Amino acid sequence: MDLVPAPRAVEGPMRCGVVFDEGTTLWAAAGTEGTERWLRSVLGAALGLPLRSGPEDARDSVRLCLDDSLAPEAYRLSVIANWGVEIRGGGPAGVFWGAQTLRQLLGPEAFRRAPVRPGIRYGIPHQIIEDSPRFPWRGLMLDVARHFMPKEGVLRYLDLMAAHKLNVFHFHLTDDQGWRVRIERHPRLTEVGSWRTRTKFGHRASPLWEEKPHGGFYTKDDIWEIVAYAAERHITVVPEIDVPGHSQAAIAAYPELGNTDVIDTTALSVWDSWGISPNVLAPTDNTLRFYEEVFEEVLELFPSEFVHIGGDECPKDQWRASPAAQARIKELGLADEDELQAWFVGHFAKWLSARGRRLIGWDEILEGGIAEGAAVSSWRGYGGGIAAARAGHDVVMCPEQHVYLDHRQADGADEPVPIGYVRTLEDVYRFEPVPAGLDESQARRILGTQANVWTEVMEDHARVDYQAFPRLAAFAEVAWSALPAPGERDFAAFERRMTAHYRRLEALGVAYRPPTGPLPWQQRPGVAGRPLDGPPPIR
C-alpha cells in the first residue's frame, strides 16, 4: 500500500478487484456533487474516461454517499470485486478526501491532465480503507509578497494541497517587499506598493541584484476565483495582512501611515532587499481607520473564520523616537512599546470579533498581552504555542525549526541558496505538532499544524517546488495520519511509499528535490545563502 498520507486502517488488498474503463459509471448522492464534478473533470480527463451517470446499483460503478455515522472529514473507501467502488464520507469533505485516495490507487497516470495510454483498463484491488484526519487545521503558508506568484500558480498549489489532503491555505499577501491584493478605497497600495524597482538575488548579504522591476497583484475577481477554487477542494483560504510591522510597501504607497515625526516617509519605496524593515506603522487613529477600511474589503473577499494580521517582527525603534508614539503610550496608560503593539493588535481583534471573525497572529502577539479569543501561529518554536494553549488560546503549530520549508534540505555545497538549518525529509517526518507538557485540555487547543514557505530566495514556481517537495508530502502525513511518537515512526516504510509518490509528483509536473540531491538546473552556483550549522535550537 503506497498511499501518502497513510490511512488509519486498510483491509486487504486482494488480487481481484474493480476495473475502470469506458463502461464505468458514476452515481452521486445529494451533497456529493462537488466530488462528482471533480472526478469527471480531473480523474476522467486524466484517464480518458467519461464516467457517465448511472444507476446506484450498477456493477463496476463508483458510488458517492454521505454517512452521518462518520466524522465530517472521515471516509470509508470500499473496492469490492464484482460490485464496484463506494466512497462514504461523514460530510462532503470526507467524500472528497476519499476521492483523493481513489486517485492514488489508480496510479500515476491519474495525476496527468490527459490520457497517456488511451483505451487502457485500470484495475484496483479489492480492499476497504477507513480514514480520518488527526487535525482539523492542516495548512500551508505561501508567501507571495516577497516573490509574486501569478494566479495560475496559486491555483496549482491548491491542487497540490488537495492531493495531499491539506485543507488550510494561509495566503501571505503583504510585506515590506510588496502588497498583493487590490483594495478599491486605497488603490495606491497596488499601484505603488505592488512593484519594486529591483530585487536582491540570494540572501540579503549577497552582492547580486536582479536589475528589473518585480511585482504583481491579484484583482478582486482573482481572489474570488482563488477562494472558490479552494472551496471546491475543501480548502479554507486564510488571508494575511501584516500590521504593524512588515509594512514598508504600504507606507511607500501612503506615507502618512508611517512615523512621519521620525523619518521622511515620502522618501520610502517598496523595499528591494530582505530582512526586517525598521519602517513600521504609526499608532495613530488615521492608521487604524485606514486598516479598518482595508480589512472591510478583505472580509468581502475571504469568508474564512480566521484573518491573520501578522503581528511579528515589529521593531520598536521608531516608536521609541517618536513623540507622537510616546504621547499615545501615555494617553493609553501603557507601560511600554510592547504594550503599544498589543493595543494595536487588540484593536483589530475586537474589530474582527464584532464582525463574526477571529484574529490569528504570529506568536509575538503574546508580548504585552494577547486579546481574548485571538489564536496564535507558533513559529519561533514550541514556547509560544505552549504559553498560548495554557492561557486558553487556540494554536497552530508551525515552528521554524521543523516546518519552515525555505530552510535547506541538506548540507551539500550544491544546495541552491542555502538558508537556515538542515531540515531533511526525515526531520519533517519526525515532527510532532503537539508539544510535551500540555495537559489534555491544553492539548485540545492545538488546532493543528502548518508548513510555511517564505519566498525571499525563491524567484519562481520551480524554486518553490524544490523547497516544498518532497517535504510537504511528509508534513501532510504528520498532519493527517495517526502516527506513533517521532522516534517510533517507520521512516524507511515512508521512503518506500515515496518511491511510488515521486511518480505521482512527476505526473503533476512538480520540480521536487530528488533524494540524491539537486539536478544541475536546480542549483544556484555563486548565489550566497545563509546556512546555519548544527541542530536547530528547540525553544
Side-chain angles (χ1 to χ4, degrees), residues 136-253:
W137 186 301
R138 307 179 301 280
L140 171 68
M141 190 288 303
L142 181 62
D143 165 30
V144 297
R146 274 56 175 266
H147 276 102
F148 178 66
M149 180 178 284
K151 180 195 69 178
E152 291 76 12
V154 175
L155 299 178
R156 175 176 175 267
Y157 258 81
L158 291 171
D159 281 331
L160 292 173
M161 289 178 64
H164 292 84
K165 299 184 174 72
L166 300 174
N167 70 338
V168 178
F169 180 57
H170 177 165
F171 206 6
H172 183 80
L173 289 163
T174 74
D175 218 294
D176 300 307
Q177 296 85 1
W179 185 286
R180 304 295 179 217
V181 57
R182 173 78 175 173
I183 301 297
E184 299 294 341
R185 273 177 287 189
H186 301 295
R188 286 176 59 84
L189 287 171
T190 46
E191 291 171 358
V192 174
S194 70
W195 292 92
R196 56 180 182 263
T197 57
R198 63 176 186 169
T199 298
K200 175 68 71 172
F201 193 46
H203 181 256
R204 62 179 176 269
S206 167
L208 303 176
W209 294 89
E210 186 177 37
E211 297 286 354
K212 66 178 183 180
H214 175 87
F217 64 92
Y218 308 103
T219 66
K220 287 195 168 184
D221 283 348
D222 291 336
I223 295 294
W224 278 318
E225 180 182 357
I226 288 167
V227 170
Y229 195 84
E232 289 175 352
R233 286 146 184 79
H234 300 277
I235 296 171
T236 298
V237 183
V238 175
E240 179 177 351
I241 305 294
D242 262 306
V243 296
H246 286 294
S247 297
Q248 183 165 324
I251 297 169

Side-chain angles (χ1 to χ4, degrees), residues 4-338:
V4 176
R8 285 182 176 267
V10 179
E11 180 184 318
M14 306 167 102
R15 289 178 64 91
C16 55
V18 174
V19 171
F20 274 61
D21 58 20
E22 288 282 337
T24 301
T25 58
L26 177 59
W27 179 85
T32 68
E33 296 87 356
T35 299
E36 178 188 18
R37 287 192 300 270
W38 182 88
L39 283 168
R40 285 207 179 93
S41 63
V42 176
L43 201 56
L47 303 180
L49 303 178
L51 297 178
R52 299 182 183 89
S53 295
E56 181 180 0
D57 58 355
R59 286 186 56 184
D60 293 330
S61 69
V62 178
R63 288 176 278 281
L64 308 177
C65 315
L66 296 178
D67 185 340
D68 60 11
S69 69
L70 300 172
E73 288 194 281
Y75 68 88
R76 178 184 174 94
L77 171 60
S78 303
V79 183
I80 307 299
N82 299 316
W83 184 72
V85 175
E86 181 181 78
I87 302 174
R88 304 184 75 85
V95 176
F96 183 72
W97 303 133
Q100 295 296 329
T101 298
L102 174 64
R103 187 188 196 185
Q104 291 197 21
L105 293 174
L106 285 162
E109 292 85 356
F111 289 80
R112 297 190 178 274
R113 296 190 181 184
V116 294
R117 295 175 179 81
I120 194 172
R121 304 172 83 223
Y122 293 88
I124 305 178
H126 176 110
Q127 60 197 293
I128 297 174
I129 298 171
E130 295 185 345
D131 204 4
S132 60
R134 180 183 179 190
F135 295 108
W137 186 301
R138 307 179 301 280
L140 171 68
M141 190 288 303
L142 181 62
D143 165 30
V144 297
R146 274 56 175 266
H147 276 102
F148 178 66
M149 180 178 284
K151 180 195 69 178
E152 291 76 12
V154 175
L155 299 178
R156 175 176 175 267
Y157 258 81
L158 291 171
D159 281 331
L160 292 173
M161 289 178 64
H164 292 84
K165 299 184 174 72
L166 300 174
N167 70 338
V168 178
F169 180 57
H170 177 165
F171 206 6
H172 183 80
L173 289 163
T174 74
D175 218 294
D176 300 307
Q177 296 85 1
W179 185 286
R180 304 295 179 217
V181 57
R182 173 78 175 173
I183 301 297
E184 299 294 341
R185 273 177 287 189
H186 301 295
R188 286 176 59 84
L189 287 171
T190 46
E191 291 171 358
V192 174
S194 70
W195 292 92
R196 56 180 182 263
T197 57
R198 63 176 186 169
T199 298
K200 175 68 71 172
F201 193 46
H203 181 256
R204 62 179 176 269
S206 167
L208 303 176
W209 294 89
E210 186 177 37
E211 297 286 354
K212 66 178 183 180
H214 175 87
F217 64 92
Y218 308 103
T219 66
K220 287 195 168 184
D221 283 348
D222 291 336
I223 295 294
W224 278 318
E225 180 182 357
I226 288 167
V227 170
Y229 195 84
E232 289 175 352
R233 286 146 184 79
H234 300 277
I235 296 171
T236 298
V237 183
V238 175
E240 179 177 351
I241 305 294
D242 262 306
V243 296
H246 286 294
S247 297
Q248 183 165 324
I251 297 169
Y254 292 92
E256 65 271 21
L257 296 175
N259 295 283
T260 57
D261 57 346
V262 176
I263 63 163
D264 178 11
T265 56
T266 63
L268 293 177
S269 60
V270 178
W271 208 18
D272 57 13
S273 191
W274 316 126
I276 304 170
S277 170
N279 298 299
V280 302
L281 298 174
T284 65
D285 288 340
N286 174 66
T287 300
L288 296 180
R289 299 292 89 75
F290 182 97
Y291 273 87
E292 285 175 1
E293 291 173 353
V294 168
F295 281 116
E296 282 174 4
E297 294 194 30
V298 168
L299 297 190
E300 293 173 0
L301 295 170
F302 298 94
S304 57
E305 175 187 4
F306 288 98
V307 174
H308 208 293
I309 56 84
D312 63 316
E313 297 178 328
C314 179
K316 309 297 193 301
D317 293 345
Q318 289 185 358
W319 287 353
R320 293 187 185 99
S322 165
Q326 292 302 309
R328 197 73 197 251
I329 290 173
K330 184 176 181 180
E331 171 197 336
L332 295 169
L334 305 176
D336 54 22
E337 291 76 18
D338 283 343

Side-chain angles (χ1 to χ4, degrees), residues 346-364:
H347 174 87
F348 286 103
K350 294 174 184 175
W351 188 91
L352 288 167
S353 178
R355 288 153 181 82
R357 307 296 186 94
R358 292 181 64 188
L359 180 145
I360 184 168
W362 302 109
D363 54 55
E364 285 95 332

